[in-house]
Amino acid sequence: MADKTPKEPVSAPVATRIDPSKEPISQEQLHFIRQVELQQWKKKTQKLRTRNVVTGLAIGALVLGIYGYTFYSVSQERIMDEMDEEVKRARLQGAKTGAN
């Protein structure tokens, strides 16, 4: 595996790593760190917001689907009740035999 530490010293001050527990941080460095963290948080919150919207729409669609299916099944139960009543009427009006 490749070693992630640079092999030759880097002269650019932006590329050097700072350990805040060992070295004192200047106000300028602290301000820069806060700006970078803020930009990262903005990027992450935008992704999270998109995911939250998609998840909310999916849950809403599921709830509306269940709600619609419930109304559909209840309306079919009425039809079945009406059919049962028609069958009862037909039996009552039919000819009386020994099998009835």
Side-chain angles (χ1 to χ4, degrees):
M1 295 190 123
D3 188 18
K4 293 186 179 182
T5 58
K7 298 200 188 283
E8 51 186 65
V10 180
S11 62
V14 178
T16 58
R17 292 194 178 258
I18 299 171
D19 186 9
S21 62
K22 295 180 182 177
E23 301 174 27
I25 297 177
S26 68
Q27 289 291 71
E28 182 179 296
Q29 290 171 333
L30 189 60
H31 181 67
F32 178 73
I33 290 170
R34 286 184 180 156
Q35 282 182 337
V36 170
E37 287 176 347
L38 181 64
Q39 289 173 354
Q40 289 173 347
W41 274 104
K42 284 181 182 179
K43 185 184 261 187
K44 287 181 184 178
T45 55
Q46 188 175 15
K47 286 181 182 178
L48 284 175
R49 185 173 296 133
T50 304
R51 287 181 187 169
N52 287 346
V53 167
V54 170
T55 303
L57 289 174
I59 291 172
L62 179 69
V63 167
L64 287 175
I66 292 171
Y67 190 70
Y69 178 75
T70 302
F71 271 107
Y72 176 72
S73 65
V74 167
S75 68
Q76 279 193 348
E77 286 179 11
R78 289 183 194 154
I79 291 172
M80 295 302 289
D81 290 340
E82 291 173 4
M83 289 175 63
D84 289 340
E85 289 176 17
E86 288 178 14
V87 169
K88 286 179 185 177
R89 278 189 235 134
R91 283 186 183 165
L92 291 174
Q93 293 175 356
K96 298 290 181 185
T97 62
N100 285 353

